[in-house]
Amino acid sequence: MTKLFEDNKTSEHNEQFTLLKIREWLVSYMSDLLEIEPEQIDVETTFARYGLDSSAAVVLTGDLENWLGTELEPTVIYDYPTIAELAEYLAEGS
């Protein structure tokens, strides 16, 4: 569980998850994970290109499930391989 997840898990559980909010969470998450500035995260770059391996993808999916308060398919990161695609998919489902 990442620090970002801990910071957000109680305050945002009851809020509506918009495309922008999901995208911002994912950018912050990747920024925290990669230890780079959020401005350096390109939402069109694939998770794989950022070096996200399968174990990191599982952790990200779990943290995302907890933040959203919903269950996600374990393959969601592979089905929607960029922040932009994943955020759009998740926003449509919320």
Side-chain angles (χ1 to χ4, degrees):
M1 202 175 299
T2 67
K3 180 180 179 332
L4 177 64
F5 170 72
E6 288 291 323
D7 292 344
N8 290 326
K9 82 176 186 185
T10 55
S11 64
E12 302 205 16
H13 247 267
N14 295 325
E15 296 180 26
Q16 184 174 1
F17 297 103
T18 63
L19 173 63
L20 180 61
K21 194 171 276 192
I22 295 168
R23 187 181 287 203
E24 286 175 350
W25 189 92
L26 287 165
V27 167
S28 294
Y29 188 98
M30 292 299 292
S31 170
D32 186 47
L33 182 70
L34 300 171
E35 299 179 354
I36 61 176
E37 294 299 317
E39 296 78 21
Q40 295 177 273
I41 302 292
D42 180 355
V43 298
E44 299 294 338
T45 299
T46 64
F47 293 107
R49 183 143 180 140
Y50 281 115
L52 205 71
D53 61 15
S54 59
S55 63
V58 168
V59 173
L60 169 59
T61 302
D63 287 348
L64 192 54
E65 282 180 330
N66 290 329
W67 182 65
L68 293 170
T70 188
E71 198 169 312
L72 299 174
E73 292 293 324
T75 59
V76 72
I77 300 292
Y78 299 102
D79 295 337
Y80 303 94
T82 68
I83 289 173
E85 290 176 36
L86 181 58
E88 186 173 327
Y89 165 73
L90 295 171
E92 289 174 0
S94 65

Short mmCIF file of all heavy atoms in Angstrom, two decimals, residues 2-5 8 12 20-39 41 43 60 67 83:
data_model
loop_
_atom_site.label_atom_id
_atom_site.label_comp_id
_atom_site.label_asym_id
_atom_site.label_seq_id
_atom_site.Cartn_x
_atom_site.Cartn_y
_atom_site.Cartn_z
N THR A 2 0.62 2.17 -0.90
CA THR A 2 1.46 3.35 -1.01
C THR A 2 0.98 4.46 -0.10
O THR A 2 -0.14 4.45 0.38
CB THR A 2 1.46 3.87 -2.45
OG1 THR A 2 0.17 4.35 -2.75
CG2 THR A 2 1.90 2.80 -3.42
N LYS A 3 1.86 5.45 0.09
CA LYS A 3 1.50 6.60 0.91
C LYS A 3 0.33 7.35 0.28
O LYS A 3 -0.58 7.80 0.99
CB LYS A 3 2.71 7.53 1.03
CG LYS A 3 2.43 8.76 1.86
CD LYS A 3 3.65 9.63 1.96
CE LYS A 3 3.43 10.89 2.75
NZ LYS A 3 2.15 11.46 2.80
N LEU A 4 0.32 7.48 -1.03
CA LEU A 4 -0.77 8.18 -1.70
C LEU A 4 -2.09 7.51 -1.38
O LEU A 4 -3.09 8.17 -1.10
CB LEU A 4 -0.55 8.20 -3.21
CG LEU A 4 -1.65 8.85 -4.03
CD1 LEU A 4 -1.76 10.32 -3.69
CD2 LEU A 4 -1.38 8.67 -5.49
N PHE A 5 -2.11 6.20 -1.41
CA PHE A 5 -3.34 5.48 -1.11
C PHE A 5 -3.78 5.76 0.31
O PHE A 5 -4.94 6.03 0.58
CB PHE A 5 -3.14 3.97 -1.31
CG PHE A 5 -4.30 3.19 -0.79
CD1 PHE A 5 -5.50 3.20 -1.46
CD2 PHE A 5 -4.19 2.49 0.38
CE1 PHE A 5 -6.57 2.50 -0.97
CE2 PHE A 5 -5.27 1.78 0.88
CZ PHE A 5 -6.46 1.79 0.20
N ASN A 8 -5.40 9.15 0.71
CA ASN A 8 -6.66 9.37 0.02
C ASN A 8 -7.78 8.42 0.39
O ASN A 8 -8.93 8.68 0.08
CB ASN A 8 -6.45 9.26 -1.50
CG ASN A 8 -5.65 10.41 -2.03
OD1 ASN A 8 -5.75 11.52 -1.54
ND2 ASN A 8 -4.85 10.14 -3.04
N GLU A 12 -11.74 10.28 0.19
CA GLU A 12 -12.35 10.30 -1.13
C GLU A 12 -13.25 9.11 -1.40
O GLU A 12 -13.73 8.94 -2.50
CB GLU A 12 -11.25 10.37 -2.19
CG GLU A 12 -10.40 11.60 -1.99
CD GLU A 12 -9.74 12.05 -3.27
OE1 GLU A 12 -10.16 11.60 -4.34
OE2 GLU A 12 -8.82 12.84 -3.18
N LEU A 20 -11.27 13.25 -14.64
CA LEU A 20 -10.14 14.09 -14.20
C LEU A 20 -9.60 13.61 -12.86
O LEU A 20 -8.38 13.51 -12.67
CB LEU A 20 -10.58 15.55 -14.10
CG LEU A 20 -9.50 16.53 -13.65
CD1 LEU A 20 -8.32 16.54 -14.61
CD2 LEU A 20 -10.08 17.92 -13.50
N LYS A 21 -10.47 13.29 -11.94
CA LYS A 21 -10.04 12.86 -10.61
C LYS A 21 -9.28 11.53 -10.69
O LYS A 21 -8.24 11.35 -10.05
CB LYS A 21 -11.26 12.72 -9.70
CG LYS A 21 -10.91 12.61 -8.25
CD LYS A 21 -12.12 12.69 -7.39
CE LYS A 21 -12.44 14.14 -7.17
NZ LYS A 21 -13.44 14.36 -6.15
N ILE A 22 -9.77 10.61 -11.50
CA ILE A 22 -9.09 9.32 -11.65
C ILE A 22 -7.74 9.52 -12.33
O ILE A 22 -6.73 8.95 -11.91
CB ILE A 22 -9.97 8.34 -12.45
CG1 ILE A 22 -11.24 8.00 -11.66
CG2 ILE A 22 -9.20 7.07 -12.78
CD1 ILE A 22 -12.30 7.28 -12.45
N ARG A 23 -7.73 10.35 -13.33
CA ARG A 23 -6.47 10.63 -14.04
C ARG A 23 -5.45 11.26 -13.08
O ARG A 23 -4.29 10.86 -13.06
CB ARG A 23 -6.73 11.55 -15.23
CG ARG A 23 -5.53 11.74 -16.11
CD ARG A 23 -5.80 12.66 -17.23
NE ARG A 23 -6.65 12.00 -18.23
CZ ARG A 23 -6.70 12.36 -19.50
NH1 ARG A 23 -6.01 13.38 -19.93
NH2 ARG A 23 -7.48 11.72 -20.34
N GLU A 24 -5.90 12.20 -12.27
CA GLU A 24 -5.00 12.85 -11.32
C GLU A 24 -4.47 11.84 -10.29
O GLU A 24 -3.30 11.89 -9.92
CB GLU A 24 -5.72 13.99 -10.58
CG GLU A 24 -5.93 15.20 -11.44
CD GLU A 24 -6.74 16.28 -10.75
OE1 GLU A 24 -7.31 16.06 -9.66
OE2 GLU A 24 -6.83 17.38 -11.34
N TRP A 25 -5.34 10.94 -9.83
CA TRP A 25 -4.91 9.94 -8.87
C TRP A 25 -3.84 9.04 -9.49
O TRP A 25 -2.82 8.75 -8.87
CB TRP A 25 -6.11 9.10 -8.41
CG TRP A 25 -5.79 8.18 -7.27
CD1 TRP A 25 -5.92 8.44 -5.94
CD2 TRP A 25 -5.28 6.84 -7.37
NE1 TRP A 25 -5.51 7.35 -5.21
CE2 TRP A 25 -5.12 6.35 -6.05
CE3 TRP A 25 -4.94 6.01 -8.44
CZ2 TRP A 25 -4.64 5.07 -5.78
CZ3 TRP A 25 -4.45 4.74 -8.16
CH2 TRP A 25 -4.31 4.28 -6.85
N LEU A 26 -4.08 8.61 -10.72
CA LEU A 26 -3.12 7.73 -11.39
C LEU A 26 -1.78 8.44 -11.64
O LEU A 26 -0.72 7.85 -11.47
CB LEU A 26 -3.70 7.20 -12.71
CG LEU A 26 -4.79 6.15 -12.56
CD1 LEU A 26 -5.55 5.95 -13.88
CD2 LEU A 26 -4.21 4.82 -12.08
N VAL A 27 -1.84 9.70 -12.04
CA VAL A 27 -0.60 10.46 -12.26
C VAL A 27 0.15 10.60 -10.94
O VAL A 27 1.37 10.38 -10.88
CB VAL A 27 -0.90 11.86 -12.87
CG1 VAL A 27 0.33 12.76 -12.80
CG2 VAL A 27 -1.37 11.71 -14.31
N SER A 28 -0.55 10.93 -9.87
CA SER A 28 0.09 11.05 -8.57
C SER A 28 0.66 9.72 -8.11
O SER A 28 1.76 9.66 -7.55
CB SER A 28 -0.91 11.57 -7.53
OG SER A 28 -1.29 12.87 -7.83
N TYR A 29 -0.08 8.67 -8.35
CA TYR A 29 0.36 7.33 -7.96
C TYR A 29 1.67 6.97 -8.69
O TYR A 29 2.64 6.54 -8.07
CB TYR A 29 -0.72 6.31 -8.28
CG TYR A 29 -0.44 4.93 -7.74
CD1 TYR A 29 -1.00 4.50 -6.55
CD2 TYR A 29 0.38 4.04 -8.44
CE1 TYR A 29 -0.75 3.23 -6.05
CE2 TYR A 29 0.65 2.78 -7.94
CZ TYR A 29 0.09 2.37 -6.75
OH TYR A 29 0.35 1.12 -6.26
N MET A 30 1.65 7.15 -10.01
CA MET A 30 2.85 6.82 -10.79
C MET A 30 4.02 7.73 -10.41
O MET A 30 5.16 7.28 -10.35
CB MET A 30 2.54 6.94 -12.29
CG MET A 30 1.56 5.88 -12.80
SD MET A 30 2.15 4.20 -12.60
CE MET A 30 3.52 4.20 -13.77
N SER A 31 3.73 8.99 -10.17
CA SER A 31 4.77 9.93 -9.75
C SER A 31 5.40 9.47 -8.44
O SER A 31 6.62 9.47 -8.30
CB SER A 31 4.15 11.33 -9.58
OG SER A 31 5.05 12.20 -8.97
N ASP A 32 4.56 9.08 -7.49
CA ASP A 32 5.05 8.59 -6.20
C ASP A 32 5.84 7.30 -6.39
O ASP A 32 6.92 7.14 -5.83
CB ASP A 32 3.84 8.37 -5.28
CG ASP A 32 4.25 8.00 -3.88
OD1 ASP A 32 5.14 8.66 -3.31
OD2 ASP A 32 3.67 7.04 -3.33
N LEU A 33 5.32 6.40 -7.18
CA LEU A 33 5.97 5.11 -7.42
C LEU A 33 7.34 5.28 -8.09
O LEU A 33 8.31 4.63 -7.71
CB LEU A 33 5.06 4.23 -8.27
CG LEU A 33 5.55 2.83 -8.58
CD1 LEU A 33 5.53 1.98 -7.31
CD2 LEU A 33 4.67 2.19 -9.65
N LEU A 34 7.40 6.15 -9.07
CA LEU A 34 8.62 6.33 -9.86
C LEU A 34 9.56 7.39 -9.27
O LEU A 34 10.67 7.58 -9.78
CB LEU A 34 8.26 6.71 -11.30
CG LEU A 34 7.42 5.69 -12.06
CD1 LEU A 34 6.94 6.27 -13.38
CD2 LEU A 34 8.19 4.40 -12.27
N GLU A 35 9.05 8.08 -8.25
CA GLU A 35 9.82 9.15 -7.60
C GLU A 35 10.25 10.21 -8.61
O GLU A 35 11.42 10.61 -8.68
CB GLU A 35 11.01 8.58 -6.85
CG GLU A 35 10.58 7.62 -5.75
CD GLU A 35 11.75 7.02 -4.98
OE1 GLU A 35 12.91 7.23 -5.35
OE2 GLU A 35 11.47 6.33 -3.99
N ILE A 36 9.27 10.65 -9.39
CA ILE A 36 9.48 11.75 -10.34
C ILE A 36 8.33 12.74 -10.17
O ILE A 36 7.33 12.44 -9.53
CB ILE A 36 9.56 11.27 -11.81
CG1 ILE A 36 8.26 10.57 -12.23
CG2 ILE A 36 10.76 10.37 -12.01
CD1 ILE A 36 8.24 10.16 -13.71
N GLU A 37 8.48 13.92 -10.73
CA GLU A 37 7.45 14.95 -10.63
C GLU A 37 6.23 14.55 -11.47
O GLU A 37 6.38 13.96 -12.55
CB GLU A 37 7.99 16.29 -11.14
CG GLU A 37 9.10 16.85 -10.28
CD GLU A 37 8.66 17.13 -8.85
OE1 GLU A 37 7.55 17.66 -8.65
OE2 GLU A 37 9.42 16.80 -7.92
N PRO A 38 5.03 14.90 -10.99
CA PRO A 38 3.82 14.57 -11.76
C PRO A 38 3.85 15.13 -13.18
O PRO A 38 3.29 14.52 -14.10
CB PRO A 38 2.70 15.22 -10.94
CG PRO A 38 3.24 15.33 -9.56
CD PRO A 38 4.72 15.52 -9.72
N GLU A 39 4.49 16.27 -13.37
CA GLU A 39 4.56 16.87 -14.70
C GLU A 39 5.35 16.00 -15.68
O GLU A 39 5.24 16.17 -16.89
CB GLU A 39 5.22 18.26 -14.62
CG GLU A 39 4.43 19.27 -13.83
CD GLU A 39 4.57 19.10 -12.31
OE1 GLU A 39 5.57 18.50 -11.84
OE2 GLU A 39 3.66 19.56 -11.59
N ILE A 41 4.95 12.79 -15.93
CA ILE A 41 4.13 11.64 -16.30
C ILE A 41 3.29 12.01 -17.51
O ILE A 41 2.53 12.98 -17.49
CB ILE A 41 3.20 11.23 -15.14
CG1 ILE A 41 3.99 10.89 -13.88
CG2 ILE A 41 2.28 10.08 -15.56
CD1 ILE A 41 4.83 9.64 -13.97
N VAL A 43 0.27 10.90 -19.76
CA VAL A 43 -0.89 10.00 -19.62
C VAL A 43 -1.08 9.10 -20.83
O VAL A 43 -1.86 8.15 -20.77
CB VAL A 43 -2.18 10.80 -19.32
CG1 VAL A 43 -2.06 11.54 -18.00
CG2 VAL A 43 -2.56 11.72 -20.46
N LEU A 60 -0.82 -1.80 -7.92
CA LEU A 60 -1.55 -0.63 -8.42
C LEU A 60 -3.04 -0.95 -8.53
O LEU A 60 -3.89 -0.17 -8.08
CB LEU A 60 -1.00 -0.18 -9.77
CG LEU A 60 -1.84 0.86 -10.54
CD1 LEU A 60 -2.03 2.13 -9.73
CD2 LEU A 60 -1.20 1.17 -11.88
N TRP A 67 -9.22 2.53 -3.46
CA TRP A 67 -9.55 3.96 -3.60
C TRP A 67 -10.94 4.15 -4.22
O TRP A 67 -11.72 4.97 -3.75
CB TRP A 67 -8.48 4.66 -4.44
CG TRP A 67 -8.71 6.13 -4.58
CD1 TRP A 67 -8.68 7.07 -3.59
CD2 TRP A 67 -9.03 6.81 -5.79
NE1 TRP A 67 -8.96 8.30 -4.13
CE2 TRP A 67 -9.17 8.17 -5.46
CE3 TRP A 67 -9.19 6.42 -7.12
CZ2 TRP A 67 -9.48 9.14 -6.43
CZ3 TRP A 67 -9.49 7.38 -8.07
CH2 TRP A 67 -9.62 8.72 -7.72
N ILE A 83 -2.55 5.66 -18.71
CA ILE A 83 -3.35 6.37 -17.71
C ILE A 83 -4.60 6.93 -18.37
O ILE A 83 -5.71 6.82 -17.80
CB ILE A 83 -2.51 7.48 -17.06
CG1 ILE A 83 -1.45 6.86 -16.14
CG2 ILE A 83 -3.40 8.45 -16.28
CD1 ILE A 83 -0.47 7.86 -15.57
#
